[in-house]
Amino acid sequence: MHWQHASGTLSLDKPRIFGIVNVTPDSFSDGGRLTSVDDARRLIDRLVAEGADAIDVGGESTRPQGATPVSADEELRRVIPVIEAAVKDHHGILISVDTVKSRVAEECAAAGASIVNDVSAFRLDAEMAAVCARVRVGVVLMHSRGDVADMATFTHATYGDDPVREITDELCVALERATAAEIPAERVVLDPGIGFSKRSAQSIAALRELDRIAAIGRPVMVGVSRKRFIGELTGVTTPADRVAGTVGANVAALDRGARLFRVHDVKPNREALDVAWAVLDGAP
Ligand code: HH2
């Protein structure tokens, strides 16, 4: 399987890792850590050295405690210098921008981002699908409900007896939004949105039954890194200490069909996923 994006094609014949670069003061696990472009540069250097296939740069948090939405101007002020630095420092690096705003997507694509990671799956900005079609980026359409302030809370975590069915149906609607905007299916990756409008049991069900989401026919990304359900399962309260739980969830997701993994800690996930893949697929 392949994924087309603005600067080429990413082959998904092995697990692909997106290293997280949150340029936000309030992200749940690493907020406020990057206070300058130089800090972001150093983090990107490390993520690339540890084996990231791409970096995912975000300037607006969706933290579970209820995030504060930021203006497009502020988001651009945070992410553009980081994208420009990444392009300069790492020739050919694959860059994704984590945004729900079409203006941010468009300007980041012009600055060198080849992928738009929209945690609202084109729900929150009526122009987003058309912009992504025009600038020919690859898109990640992630399942969520509600707006930026409450999508990572339980406000909309209201499911019947088959939550994965509802998640799958809503991702199919997102894929139709992309198709209607003439984004070729080959440019689309789907993501169940672990922890977004989901209680832990619903996040775990989405991972356990990930094959139902993969059956839609598009590659699947998961973002489990350091998330709350891992804390609940392990008792590890500090998000940055949830590395082993994150690796466990990612290896299980790989077995159920995920091929793209959005993580804070690249090295342990790279090693674990490469070894798991050699065992599962038989191809070192
Ligand atoms: N999770 C977060 C943000 N963006 N994108 C995708 N595709 N999938 C995810 O699961 C996902 C995502 C939330 O995590 P993080 O960036 O660490 O925190 P915050 O939103 O507080 O910045």
Side-chain angles (χ1 to χ4, degrees), residues 20 22 24 26-31 56 58 60-65 67 98 117-119 140-142 152 191-196 221-227 262 264:
I20 300 172
N22 278 331
T24 51
D26 57 346
S27 287
F28 81 96
S29 86
D30 55 358
D56 185 42
E60 180 174 57
S61 174
T62 49
R63 72 204 291 268
Q65 295 79 8
D98 185 340
N117 171 23
D118 183 353
V119 296
V140 181
L141 302 181
M142 193 202 79
D191 183 325
I194 299 303
F196 282 84
M221 173 180 282
V222 290
V224 301
S225 193
R226 303 180 178 176
K227 281 187 179 167
R262 180 182 180 275
H264 300 86

Side-chain angles (χ1 to χ4, degrees), residues 120-123 140-145 163-181 183 185 188-192 210-220:
S120 81
F122 295 162
R123 287 184 302 104
V140 181
L141 302 181
M142 193 202 79
H143 178 265
S144 64
R145 294 173 173 175
V164 182
R165 169 76 177 270
E166 291 178 49
I167 295 164
T168 306
D169 287 351
E170 289 165 42
L171 283 173
C172 286
V173 172
L175 185 55
E176 281 161 21
R177 273 194 288 273
T179 309
I183 296 174
V188 180
V189 158
L190 301 175
D191 183 325
L210 207 62
D211 49 336
R212 293 171 71 188
I213 294 167
I216 297 172
R218 299 307 312 144
V220 175

Side-chain angles (χ1 to χ4, degrees), residues 2-274:
H2 290 80
W3 183 22
Q4 287 176 10
H5 53 77
S7 47
T9 300
L10 183 66
S11 122
L12 301 176
D13 54 3
K14 61 174 195 167
R16 296 294 188 178
I17 293 186
F18 279 48
I20 300 172
V21 182
N22 278 331
V23 202
T24 51
D26 57 346
S27 287
F28 81 96
S29 86
D30 55 358
R33 215 158 58 87
L34 303 180
T35 51
S36 70
V37 175
D38 279 340
D39 284 347
R41 276 190 135 123
R42 276 190 287 274
L43 174 61
I44 293 166
D45 287 348
R46 202 185 78 221
L47 298 174
V48 170
E50 290 181 354
D53 298 291
I55 55 161
D56 185 42
V57 183
E60 180 174 57
S61 174
T62 49
R63 72 204 291 268
Q65 295 79 8
T68 314
V70 299
S71 67
D73 283 341
E74 174 60 17
E75 214 180 311
L76 284 164
R77 193 189 65 73
R78 293 176 183 179
V79 297
I80 290 286
V82 174
I83 291 174
E84 287 175 347
V87 168
K88 192 157 159 265
D89 293 350
H90 300 276
H91 180 70
I93 188 176
L94 185 55
I95 301 169
S96 154
V97 59
D98 185 340
T99 186
V100 300
K101 297 188 187 74
S102 58
R103 188 156 78 83
V104 176
E106 185 156 29
E107 294 193 27
C108 288
S114 299
I115 291 164
V116 170
N117 171 23
D118 183 353
V119 296
S120 81
F122 295 162
R123 287 184 302 104
L124 296 180
D125 182 329
E127 302 301 317
M128 186 60 129
V131 164
C132 288
R134 188 166 67 244
V135 298
R136 305 171 70 81
V137 282
V139 295
V140 181
L141 302 181
M142 193 202 79
H143 178 265
S144 64
R145 294 173 173 175
D147 59 24
V148 167
D150 68 7
M151 61 168 63
T153 70
F154 297 146
T155 309
H156 305 282
T158 47
Y159 298 88
D161 54 11
D162 188 356
V164 182
R165 169 76 177 270
E166 291 178 49
I167 295 164
T168 306
D169 287 351
E170 289 165 42
L171 283 173
C172 286
V173 172
L175 185 55
E176 281 161 21
R177 273 194 288 273
T179 309
E182 297 184 8
I183 296 174
E186 294 70 30
R187 288 186 198 277
V188 180
V189 158
L190 301 175
D191 183 325
I194 299 303
F196 282 84
S197 313
K198 291 169 194 75
R199 294 183 182 277
S200 291
Q202 294 151 350
S203 286
I204 294 165
L207 290 170
R208 183 185 309 115
E209 298 171 42
L210 207 62
D211 49 336
R212 293 171 71 188
I213 294 167
I216 297 172
R218 299 307 312 144
V220 175
M221 173 180 282
V222 290
V224 301
S225 193
R226 303 180 178 176
K227 281 187 179 167
R228 181 171 41 202
F229 80 99
I230 295 172
E232 288 180 13
L233 288 169
T234 59
V236 178
T237 49
T238 305
D241 292 340
R242 295 176 183 156
V243 179
T246 297
V247 166
N250 276 331
V251 168
L254 175 72
D255 189 39
R256 301 288 156 109
R259 290 293 173 269
L260 298 126
F261 303 83
R262 180 182 180 275
V263 300
H264 300 86
D265 307 289
V266 169
K267 188 171 188 289
N269 284 287
R270 176 86 275 164
E271 291 174 1
L273 288 165
D274 285 352

